[in-house]
């Protein structure tokens, strides 16, 4: 009987010891190591945040954001491509709505939205609708890409220059400085980072 009791107690002690050890290892040590590793040399664990010159959180390096000028203020921003999946003509302003719209090439809704977007952008930039590039009126594969084509950036330069009082050549230099070439020289297309350009132009997220 004593042998049975002592064996049971021994098993309970071992079980509790294993429980305590695994709790410390898997519940404390492992999460701590993963948390620490995620913050070494990168801020991606915090959403790849970007701060402006005043230290305010201006956005993310991985997620597009279409800026809006304050009410009554001149539009001095470089705009992104269509963000989100809403079926309104521009579908911008809510990066959280990143699911696909499920509108196929034969969709009358998609055709209407693209035509409406092209007309709105042409009016905003003072160009003919035929000058508005495809990426200006369509979303990216993820719906959240932070870049636009150099062609889309180019038609926005005159507006930004006009509303900021800067020369078009000065704005173009900023855009060129934040234009990336094809990945590894042959993948994808040249692209302009919208957030980086806006920050370089002096925009701030501070209120």
């Amino acid at each position: 009987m004593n042998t049975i009791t002592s064996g049971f107690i021994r098993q309970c002690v071992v079980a509790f010891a294993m429980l305590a050890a695994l709790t410390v290892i898997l519940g404390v040590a492992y999460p701590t190591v993963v948390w620490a590793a995620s913050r070494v040399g990168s801020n991606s664990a915090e959403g790849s945040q970007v701060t402006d010159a005043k230290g305010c959180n201006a956005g993310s390096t991985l997620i597009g954001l279409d800026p809006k000028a304050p009410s009554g203020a001149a539009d001095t921003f470089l705009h992104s491509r269509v963000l989100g999946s809403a079926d309104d003509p521009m579908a911008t302003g809510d990066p959280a709505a990143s699911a696909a719209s499920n509108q196929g090439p034969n969709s009358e809704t998609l055709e209407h939205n693209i035509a409406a977007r092209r007309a709105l952008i042409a009016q905003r930039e003072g160009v003919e609708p035929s000058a508005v590039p495809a990426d200006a009126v369509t979303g990216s594969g993820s719906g959240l890409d932070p870049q636009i084509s150099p062609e889309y950036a180019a038609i926005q330069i005159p507006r930004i220059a006009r509303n900021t009082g800067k020369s078009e050549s000065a704005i173009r230099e900023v855009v060129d400085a934040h234009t990336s070439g094809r990945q590894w020289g042959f993948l994808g297309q040249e692209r302009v980072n919208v957030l980086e350009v806006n920050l370089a132009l002096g925009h701030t997220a501070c209120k």
Side-chain angles (χ1 to χ4, degrees), residues 148-172:
I148 60 175
S149 67
E151 292 76 19
Y152 187 21
I155 68 172
Q156 300 186 62
I157 289 176
R159 167 180 51 78
I160 296 174
R162 182 172 61 252
N163 291 340
T164 60
K166 299 178 181 179
S167 66
E168 290 189 21
S169 60
I171 303 298
R172 189 171 291 106

Side-chain angles (χ1 to χ4, degrees), residues 9-10 16 27 34 45 73-74 78 82 105 113 115 121 124 145 154 157 160 174 184-185 206:
I9 294 175
R10 190 184 309 111
F16 280 118
V34 172
L78 185 67
V82 176
N113 287 345
I121 293 173
R124 184 186 72 198
D145 285 1
I157 289 176
I160 296 174
V174 173
W184 300 328
C206 296

Side-chain angles (χ1 to χ4, degrees), residues 86-157:
D87 288 331
D88 62 282
M90 290 304 292
T92 58
D94 185 12
S98 61
S101 64
N102 295 325
Q103 301 295 334
N106 296 323
S107 168
E108 294 182 0
T109 299
L110 179 62
E111 182 180 4
H112 167 76
N113 287 345
I114 287 178
R117 293 166 188 163
R118 181 171 283 113
L120 288 171
I121 293 173
Q123 181 181 26
R124 184 186 72 198
E125 307 303 342
V127 300
E128 293 296 323
S130 59
V132 178
D135 69 299
V137 296
T138 57
S140 65
S142 68
L144 298 174
D145 285 1
Q147 300 97 0
I148 60 175
S149 67
E151 292 76 19
Y152 187 21
I155 68 172
Q156 300 186 62
I157 289 176

Side-chain angles (χ1 to χ4, degrees), residues 41-66:
S42 172
N43 69 341
S44 58
E46 300 296 339
S48 300
Q49 297 177 27
V50 176
T51 55
D52 58 28
K54 296 183 178 180
C56 296
N57 182 14
S60 168
T61 60
L62 303 175
I63 299 177
L65 179 65
D66 192 52

